[in-house]
Amino acid sequence: MLAYLVIREGSKWTDVFRLVPGRTVTIGRAATNQIILKDDRASRNHAEVFLTNGQWTLRDLDSRNGTFVGTQRVLGDHPLSAGDIIHIAQSQLAFVHDLSQAFAESRAAPRTDASEPTRLGVPELTGGAVPRDSVVDTDLGGMTDSVLTDHGETSEPTTITHRRGYTRYLKPRVAEGTAPRVGNAAAMLCRLGFELAKQADVASVARQALEGLFEATSVDAGAVLLAAREKSGQVTAADLEVVATRSELEPRYHRVSSFLANTVLREREAVLARNVADDSMLGTRDSKGEIHATSVLCAPIREAGGRAIGLIHLYSTSEDRQPDPEDLEFALAVADNVALAIQKLGQQEELTEKLLRTRTEVQQLRRWLGAESEIIGSSALMQNVHREIERAASSRATVLIRGESGVGKELVARAMHYASPRKKGPFVCLNCAALTETLLESELFGHERGAFTGATERKIGKFEAAHMGTLMLDEIGEMSSSIQAKFLRVLEGHPFERVGGNQQIRVNVRAVAATNRDLEKAVGEGKFRRDLYFRLRVLEIFIPPLRKRPEDVLELATHFLARFNAETGRRLRGFTPDALERMRQYRWPGNVRELKNVVERAVVLAQDEFISADELALTSLSTQGESADVVLSRSAYEPLSLDEIERRHILATLRTTGWNKSRASSILGIERSTLDRKIRRYQIRR
């Protein structure tokens, strides 16, 4: 014998639950119950209904507020009779064998024949619990019979047989007692979900969805309509574009009406309409004015947030092929899968675009790093530097790079990093001479918030930033003694703490130090720690000054000329012979940095196609470690005795001081009497 629990909340019947012999139905507030009551006054597991000895029985599960049949409180097991009203909190459950018994106050009794539409509050029975949002009253939020038939009277009014916000096919489990068709639909939906996930574009997803829908539902034509990807806010019928269509019969697919599309998009619920005898649902007539659709099914395609971005529109043109509520369930499930597939495709497209942009940026960065790290020079001295870089790159040992200012110590360190196994890690550079002792410690090891005045937030130091990479410390000789001690501990593998912190931090960093100072002399004077010097000087690379490799001058000048031509848009063809000779003879006290700046200035100011000697802004500064006399005498060698050199030097000094012998003797580093004696000896006259 059929038995049902018809659930009523407030003044409205909401759900119908079919009781199945052999299955205990639990009622309560917890989500594990078959019948869930959204009422805080109901217990989590309130009551249960089961069949025993051919009699349906109600049992209270020690609920807090009790279970009542009519006005009688249930204590123990209570047999149920047709028409009994079960009261739990504010909910009522009518136990009936015939559904018409539960709707005495309705305008018309509902039909239980699945072949006929249900006009009032009970959906067509499919076995098991029916979600609340599937129950439809005659008031459909604006979609009433009068609206649907405003084009004239028909023999049978258009009837909305079903509206559904969510499909049970996508729930984790299906209730027992469902018809085999539900299982077949779920299996087909599973296969279709895999097929949708394989598609590479939205159009393919739409076509695959239509194939599955036509295989599983009773429809003759349909389409998938979507709004543009960049469309934001509420989507309307005017925003929809047909992505894919399919039709089994002629005429071909007719687009959904604006009325139906806007209703589904606004309400975000699937709609099944039968007995469509006018064009308000289909929206199109043929050339003879005849309407071909008899039933229309429309399901929204919704994003994860619930916003409708499109819809699936299906209709039949034959009385023999009409979709039913199960088809509506399936179409809504397919629509949700289509939305998920479109979302994944959108994420893939965004990821692809980001990867392309990132790849382009990485390529540009690598080209820039390659240009900045490219060491120009083919002289024997530079070839030796290249070999030392290759040998040092494969090692994890600390490297000390020595050379005058401007020779390119950072470029050598960068080249060594990108040739090493750490090339995928960061390359971090810090100039120790540019910071005070306090700031240098903060830059190296970081600081915690409030460690000192101005420390408003935590800062990661260069050591942490260079983890799994290379840290270059330029002008290492300028580091104070206290920082040297802490730096040495980190080099030895000990953890360190941020300034103002107490957390032990360990890093894996390769240290590269660079200096233009004489560290041996600084060690001897006590200005540089001896143990740190030997720790840094595991491997040493010496970069010769530019004056020691004059054959590289023209190669570097040509490289910088091409670079600045590209940056400024000029088309200078080269240097005049006088300019080339002058660059070869010049001592380049600023080394490669000075040569770069000289060429850049010449490119900006050059008036002809070739850079002349007058356009080279060269200085008379002495080079590091050389006296001004040697610089001034670079033009040509003149064989002179030491006495003659001394006589000329004393004469030049006296002329510079205006024959002030006290100042001259101070400059020469000799006594005044010694100066007078040499003046007499060399017969120097004013």
Side-chain angles (χ1 to χ4, degrees), residues 85-137:
I85 303 298
I86 303 170
H87 296 272
I88 296 178
Q90 295 299 311
S91 300
Q92 301 178 32
L93 294 84
F95 175 78
V96 296
H97 296 294
D98 184 354
L99 285 176
S100 62
Q101 299 172 6
F103 301 95
E105 71 275 25
S106 300
R107 290 179 293 166
R111 303 174 183 174
T112 58
D113 187 354
S115 64
E116 295 297 332
T118 302
R119 293 287 308 279
L120 297 178
V122 181
E124 293 173 88
L125 299 175
T126 57
V130 181
R132 176 176 178 177
D133 56 7
S134 67
V135 180
V136 182
D137 291 336

Side-chain angles (χ1 to χ4, degrees), residues 501-682:
N502 54 15
Q503 180 184 357
Q504 297 288 316
I505 302 172
R506 291 184 179 273
V507 293
N508 184 351
V509 174
R510 183 184 189 181
V512 176
T515 184
N516 61 357
R517 294 184 57 183
D518 187 349
L519 290 185
E520 290 87 349
K521 182 179 178 181
V523 170
E525 295 174 351
K527 298 179 180 179
F528 199 82
R529 293 180 63 98
R530 181 183 298 270
D531 48 2
L532 178 58
Y533 169 72
F534 289 115
R535 184 65 181 83
L536 293 175
R537 196 174 173 268
V538 178
L539 295 175
E540 187 176 37
I541 298 178
F542 176 74
I543 307 175
L546 189 56
R547 64 181 176 273
K548 298 293 185 180
R549 45 190 178 99
E551 57 269 38
D552 292 335
V553 172
L554 298 185
E555 188 176 351
L556 284 165
T558 303
H559 168 76
F560 290 131
L561 176 62
R563 175 177 172 178
F564 293 124
N565 268 340
E567 290 183 3
T568 61
R570 303 204 63 180
R571 298 182 179 180
L572 301 180
R573 299 173 59 185
F575 302 88
T576 63
D578 291 342
L580 292 175
E581 182 61 25
R582 188 171 181 185
M583 285 191 293
R584 274 194 295 264
Q585 295 295 332
Y586 186 61
R587 301 290 289 176
W588 299 108
N591 291 295
V592 180
R593 183 186 292 116
E594 181 185 6
L595 174 59
K596 173 187 173 183
N597 295 335
V598 166
V599 174
E600 182 177 11
R601 178 182 182 278
V603 169
V604 174
L605 301 179
Q607 299 179 356
D608 298 325
E609 293 182 342
F610 292 89
I611 297 175
S612 64
D614 295 336
E615 292 167 334
L616 298 175
L618 304 180
T619 70
S620 58
L621 295 175
S622 62
T623 59
Q624 185 175 344
E626 293 185 328
S627 67
D629 276 348
V630 177
V631 176
L632 295 175
S633 64
R634 66 181 180 274
S635 58
Y637 171 73
E638 182 181 356
L640 296 173
S641 66
L642 292 178
D643 287 344
E644 180 62 20
I645 292 176
E646 186 177 32
R647 188 191 74 80
R648 291 185 180 186
H649 185 60
I650 292 173
L651 177 59
T653 305
L654 289 170
R655 286 174 177 173
T656 301
T657 61
W659 278 80
N660 186 324
K661 293 182 180 179
S662 297
R663 288 182 57 195
S665 60
S666 176
I667 294 173
L668 294 171
I670 58 178
E671 298 291 337
R672 168 71 181 269
S673 59
T674 304
L675 176 60
D676 290 334
R677 187 169 62 252
K678 288 182 180 294
I679 291 174
R680 291 193 298 270
R681 176 185 173 186
Y682 295 129

Side-chain angles (χ1 to χ4, degrees), residues 15 39 43 60 83 92 105 171 221 448 458 510 524 580 588:
D15 291 348
D39 191 329
S43 299
D60 182 79
Q92 301 178 32
E105 71 275 25
K171 289 188 175 182
E448 297 289 347
R458 171 185 287 181
R510 183 184 189 181
L580 292 175
W588 299 108

Side-chain angles (χ1 to χ4, degrees), residues 130-429:
V130 181
R132 176 176 178 177
D133 56 7
S134 67
V135 180
V136 182
D137 291 336
T138 52
D139 181 4
L140 299 175
M143 293 180 59
T144 61
D145 289 350
S146 60
V147 173
L148 298 180
T149 61
D150 58 2
H151 290 271
E153 294 297 329
T154 61
S155 59
E156 185 175 356
T158 301
T159 304
I160 302 297
T161 62
H162 233 67
R163 289 177 67 175
R164 184 168 294 280
Y166 299 93
T167 174
R168 72 172 184 271
Y169 286 164
L170 297 181
K171 289 188 175 182
R173 61 186 180 85
V174 179
E176 298 178 12
T178 55
R181 180 181 175 186
V182 176
N184 294 335
M188 184 177 297
L189 182 63
C190 181
R191 294 195 302 270
L192 182 59
F194 280 107
E195 294 300 324
L196 292 176
K198 296 178 183 177
Q199 306 309 311
D201 54 71
V202 174
S204 299
V205 169
R207 289 192 294 269
Q208 188 66 44
L210 288 177
E211 288 186 13
L213 286 166
F214 273 68
E215 182 180 354
T217 61
S218 301
V219 294
D220 297 323
V224 175
L225 301 92
L226 293 170
R229 179 180 171 186
E230 59 273 10
K231 171 65 180 177
S232 59
Q234 177 66 39
V235 175
T236 64
D239 302 319
L240 298 179
E241 295 292 337
V242 177
V243 179
T245 64
R246 181 167 175 173
S247 179
E248 299 291 342
L249 303 171
E250 292 294 340
R252 307 304 293 173
Y253 167 76
H254 294 296
R255 186 183 173 103
V256 62
S257 69
S258 297
F259 166 72
L260 180 58
N262 284 326
T263 301
V264 172
L265 292 172
R266 181 181 63 252
E267 301 294 335
R268 292 174 296 180
E269 290 183 340
V271 171
L272 172 61
R274 291 178 175 174
N275 304 320
V276 179
D278 60 85
D279 64 349
S280 63
M281 302 300 289
L282 184 61
T284 305
R285 296 176 183 269
D286 65 5
S287 59
K288 298 180 180 180
E290 297 176 353
I291 298 301
H292 296 278
T294 58
S295 298
V296 177
L297 188 155
C298 203
I301 299 174
R302 300 166 296 197
E303 291 181 329
R307 187 178 76 101
I309 60 173
L311 52 84
I312 292 176
H313 176 223
L314 305 169
Y315 61 87
S316 62
T317 59
S318 172
E319 294 289 347
D320 299 331
R321 288 173 55 83
Q322 291 198 27
D324 57 23
E326 290 298 324
D327 294 333
L328 183 70
E329 290 272 8
F330 188 81
L332 187 55
V334 172
D336 288 343
N337 277 274
V338 168
L340 184 60
I342 292 175
Q343 179 185 359
K344 296 299 182 184
L345 286 175
Q347 292 174 350
Q348 290 177 5
E349 291 179 6
E350 292 179 2
L351 181 60
T352 302
E353 293 174 359
K354 290 180 180 179
L355 288 175
L356 289 175
R357 288 197 300 268
T358 304
R359 187 175 300 155
T360 302
E361 292 172 358
V362 169
Q363 290 173 351
Q364 293 175 350
L365 181 60
R366 285 179 176 174
R367 285 195 296 269
W368 180 81
L369 288 175
E372 290 296 319
S373 301
E374 185 177 4
I375 302 174
I376 306 299
S378 56
S379 63
L381 291 175
M382 289 308 300
Q383 293 298 325
N384 183 58
V385 171
H386 283 292
R387 287 191 293 270
E388 291 180 355
I389 290 174
E390 293 176 2
R391 287 195 294 266
S394 59
S395 172
R396 299 179 57 185
T398 307
V399 180
L400 178 62
I401 303 176
R402 309 182 71 164
E404 296 179 6
S405 178
V407 294
K409 296 187 288 295
E410 183 177 344
L411 297 185
V412 170
R414 192 183 298 275
M416 186 166 53
H417 169 74
Y418 285 105
S420 72
R422 296 174 177 263
K423 60 183 178 181
K424 294 184 179 180
F427 177 82
V428 180
C429 184

Side-chain angles (χ1 to χ4, degrees), residues 50-112:
F50 54 92
L51 184 67
T52 176
N53 298 324
Q55 174 68 51
W56 286 102
T57 304
L58 172 67
R59 175 183 294 169
D60 182 79
L61 299 177
D62 297 326
S63 62
R64 179 181 57 190
N65 294 318
T67 304
F68 297 84
V69 175
T71 59
Q72 180 183 356
R73 182 164 184 166
V74 175
L75 299 175
D77 294 347
H78 182 90
L80 293 174
S81 302
D84 282 348
I85 303 298
I86 303 170
H87 296 272
I88 296 178
Q90 295 299 311
S91 300
Q92 301 178 32
L93 294 84
F95 175 78
V96 296
H97 296 294
D98 184 354
L99 285 176
S100 62
Q101 299 172 6
F103 301 95
E105 71 275 25
S106 300
R107 290 179 293 166
R111 303 174 183 174
T112 58

